[in-house]
Amino acid sequence: MTCQDTFSRIVTDASLTPKQKSNYLALEAEASLPYPNVSSAVSQAMDSGIICDMFEGHAPFKPRYVLPDYAKYLTQGSKYLELEPARNLDEAINALTIIYHHVPSVTNIPVYLGRLDELLMPYVAKLDDETIYNKLRLFWIMLDRTLPDAFIHVNIGPSDNIICRTILRVDAELKQVAPNLTFMYDPDTTPDKLLQQATDNICECSKPHIANYPIHAQTFDDSGFGIVSCYNSLPLAGGANTLVRLNLKQVALLAIDTQDFFTNTLPYYCQLMYELIEARSRYLHEESHFFTSFLIEEGLIQETRFAPMFGIYGMAEAVNCLLGETKASSKSYGHCETANELGYRISAALDKIVKSTPVTYGYRDRALLHAQGGISLDKDVTPGVRIPYGTEPDPVTHIQALAEHHQYYSSGISEILTIDETVKSNPQAMYQLCKGALSLGLREFTANVASNDLVRVTGYMIKLSDIAAFKQGGSRTNTTGLGAEAVANTGILDRKPRVTSHEQAPCYES
């Protein structure tokens, strides 16, 4: 198929909106440019599916994820955008609405909208609760309708405040795909009642993610961090310049045995990963001129706070392959102590490699290890370190099997527990399950409830009703198509709904 044929197919596709057609045409234009210079070994590893560049484009001209310091922006205003400092809640919301359209990402839509309660609380003044509710509800609707992409992400918490509680209220009522939402939980700061509201929301709409704030905070410096897109933790006023991922399943298939995996094949392909990371980062930082934008000039981002994300996936298949397990059994990953221990050993080895390998453009001169959530084209390989869909044990065993991994993945790791709808009549069980999981060291607690229309794919949300409608006439939301592909290719709907109870969960708690 020629370029002309490809362009024609895009512009005549009845399932795409004009904006979506423009995005796809732009992707094709970028794909026509030369790729950053890499060795034949890297090219071969990419062609064979061992290493993946996440389709970021042949000429990276913008970082994958950008996390501006929105608080500084609201306080100082913007010369470039011709805005004065915000003086009240209306002006703050208006200023954020404006800048969001100038913050790039791999999706061409911002993936980080800020920790909104922290940002907006200084502007609440003497507004009553109902006025705040009405303004935030309109803001929430606007975000979903003007930034129609499930990768946009809001953070709230860990403190109790009217903005935090109102956003939870609005999100439960509207049940929108966007924005994605993470609630930060800190046992020393967050009241139980507020955490209960967040877990009640999960029962209602499968949102929010609940992040283990102390673990994330100690990973980064005092300038802070944000959680973006699916569940990716990155430095505030920085972000991720690139995300490259390694298919551990394919690496394991090439190893002679477990010893060869750790001694030879894993280090070799990690070395190729770093070559690709360097090539892509160098182009962005040295050729694209991105780091001359107004975001830099006005101090909203800093070049030194961007880092490559060293992603991995297929842990379950890698472990099972090394142990000679060809199908799910009591001896396979997630179900057997021997298999789980091998998985922890692989995570520890990756952590050692990433922490000891310098990069030219990184956070403290290093990449950040990431359990990558998969993409819609993945077949027969499980995201991150998750247990294969359809083979998950009960929620308690599930969490206990995977919690050990979470200490290593500083730029994000997430499991997705699918809970039976009976939890809606016993929401205390979800609360206890979450609190216990975080006490075991999970960085992120995430759950789907089986009867909800809103479900998580990898970390972003889709509506099952949108997937059904998409097959007939497309969708206004950019990520519905990705979700439809994921349903067809990756078995996300095979996740087993599990029953949890108030009596089960306390066995976690320390």
Side-chain angles (χ1 to χ4, degrees):
M1 182 180 288
T2 67
C3 288
Q4 292 277 338
D5 292 334
T6 301
F7 299 155
S8 180
R9 177 178 55 80
I10 291 170
V11 299
T12 58
D13 190 335
S15 70
L16 299 176
T17 67
K19 181 65 174 177
Q20 289 165 349
K21 290 177 182 181
S22 295
N23 288 341
Y24 281 121
L25 288 170
L27 290 173
E28 291 297 329
E30 190 179 357
S32 70
L33 296 172
Y35 202 88
N37 187 38
V38 293
S39 67
S40 59
V42 170
S43 296
Q44 290 169 9
M46 294 174 69
D47 291 342
S48 59
I50 303 170
I51 293 174
C52 172
D53 68 1
M54 297 292 292
F55 303 100
E56 288 181 356
H58 289 194
F61 62 93
K62 58 189 184 303
R64 183 174 185 87
Y65 302 130
V66 179
L67 288 75
D69 184 346
Y70 292 121
K72 185 172 186 178
Y73 162 73
L74 291 177
T75 301
Q76 70 183 19
S78 171
K79 181 178 179 181
Y80 180 82
L81 297 175
E82 302 179 53
L83 291 172
E84 296 296 323
R87 295 169 297 182
N88 54 50
L89 186 58
D90 286 336
E91 290 187 358
I93 289 174
N94 184 59
L96 290 174
T97 302
I98 291 169
I99 196 172
Y100 291 155
H101 291 275
H102 298 270
V103 178
S105 77
V106 67
T107 64
N108 294 312
I109 287 179
V111 294
Y112 182 63
L113 305 187
R115 193 186 298 178
L116 282 183
D117 55 344
E118 184 179 68
L119 289 173
L120 297 180
M121 278 303 295
Y123 304 98
V124 168
K126 297 179 180 179
L127 295 176
D128 62 80
D129 292 1
E130 199 62 19
T131 298
I132 293 170
Y133 164 78
N134 289 329
K135 292 179 185 298
L136 289 179
R137 189 176 187 277
L138 290 174
F139 182 49
W140 218 244
I141 292 171
M142 181 279 299
L143 291 174
D144 179 74
R145 307 308 192 268
T146 64
L147 299 172
D149 189 292
F151 294 117
I152 67 170
H153 207 122
V154 166
N155 297 174
I156 53 175
S159 63
D160 187 9
N161 59 74
I162 184 59
I163 297 291
C164 181
R165 282 182 269 113
T166 304
I167 285 175
L168 287 171
R169 174 188 171 188
V170 167
D171 203 47
E173 289 176 359
L174 295 178
K175 298 179 176 61
Q176 296 176 168
V177 165
N180 208 336
L181 183 64
T182 288
F183 172 78
M184 309 281 193
Y185 171 71
D186 184 342
D188 294 331
T189 304
T190 309
D192 287 347
K193 186 176 181 180
L194 184 59
L195 178 61
Q196 180 81 63
Q197 184 181 357
T199 56
D200 286 352
N201 268 37
I202 295 175
C203 296
E204 189 69 23
C205 63
S206 302
K207 289 197 286 180
H209 291 290
I210 298 181
N212 197 328
Y213 182 80
I215 291 178
H216 285 290
Q218 70 185 13
T219 300
F220 299 96
D221 59 25
D222 292 341
S223 295
F225 71 97
I227 296 179
V228 311
S229 185
C230 288
Y231 51 86
N232 310 316
S233 308
L234 293 164
L236 186 65
N241 42 31
T242 190
L243 166 55
V244 176
R245 65 178 190 158
L246 180 65
N247 187 335
L248 295 177
K249 173 186 177 181
Q250 294 299 322
V251 177
L253 287 171
L254 293 170
I256 298 170
D257 53 25
T258 300
Q259 181 177 347
D260 183 55
F261 175 86
F262 283 104
T263 305
N264 297 309
T265 55
L266 184 63
Y268 173 71
Y269 285 105
C270 285
Q271 180 183 349
L272 297 185
M273 282 274 287
Y274 274 104
E275 182 185 338
L276 182 57
I277 283 170
E278 286 288 340
R280 296 190 61 80
S281 298
R282 188 176 299 112
Y283 190 96
L284 173 70
H285 287 263
E286 299 178 11
E287 302 292 334
S288 76
H289 300 290
F290 171 80
F291 292 99
T292 61
S293 74
F294 85 97
L295 296 171
I296 285 281
E297 291 178 354
E298 297 185 4
L300 305 183
I301 60 172
Q302 301 170 35
E303 188 173 7
T304 56
R305 295 185 65 77
F306 283 80
M309 297 171 70
F310 188 109
I312 60 92
Y313 68 116
M315 175 68 79
E317 289 76 16
V319 168
N320 290 339
C321 173
L322 293 173
L323 294 178
E325 297 294 322
T326 58
K327 58 183 179 179
S329 72
S330 60
K331 296 182 180 180
S332 62
Y333 181 81
H335 300 268
C336 168
E337 185 176 350
T338 299
N340 294 344
E341 288 290 342
L342 179 55
Y344 308 150
R345 185 182 168 196
I346 294 172
S347 286
L350 289 163
D351 176 65
K352 183 176 181 180
I353 289 170
V354 171
K355 285 181 177 174
S356 64
T357 305
V359 295
T360 304
Y361 298 101
Y363 179 66
R364 297 168 173 164
D365 302 318
R366 295 293 185 272
L368 297 171
L369 186 60
H370 179 68
Q372 200 276 320
I375 60 175
S376 59
L377 299 179
D378 291 343
K379 292 185 178 181
D380 301 320
V381 60
T382 303
V385 304
R386 293 176 186 166
I387 298 170
Y389 302 146
T391 72
E392 303 95 332
D394 67 85
V396 172
T397 304
H398 192 150
I399 291 170
Q400 289 173 331
L402 299 180
E404 182 75 14
H405 288 289
H406 280 233
Q407 63 186 299
Y408 300 116
Y409 294 89
S410 56
S411 66
I413 178 172
S414 173
E415 322 309 337
I416 298 178
L417 302 172
T418 299
I419 307 299
D420 187 83
E421 64 181 332
T422 53
V423 76
K424 291 188 175 184
S425 63
N426 183 19
Q428 187 71 14
M430 184 72 81
Y431 167 79
Q432 292 287 358
L433 188 66
C434 171
K435 200 168 183 181
L438 297 176
S439 75
L440 275 186
L442 256 70
R443 285 179 178 267
E444 199 96 15
F445 176 84
T446 303
N448 283 332
V449 175
S451 59
N452 288 345
D453 190 27
L454 267 176
V455 299
R456 293 196 180 277
V457 180
T458 58
Y460 70 92
M461 310 293 293
I462 58 171
K463 285 185 178 180
L464 295 179
S465 57
D466 285 349
I467 296 297
F470 176 78
K471 297 174 183 177
Q472 303 300 318
S475 172
R476 69 170 180 84
T477 303
N478 299 341
T479 35
T480 303
L482 295 177
E485 272 191 339
V487 168
N489 294 334
T490 68
I492 63 166
L493 299 186
D494 295 334
R495 296 166 178 155
K496 289 188 177 181
R498 301 296 188 175
V499 176
T500 187
S501 68
H502 178 68
E503 288 72 27
Q504 276 185 310
C507 70
Y508 291 111
E509 295 189 286
S510 55

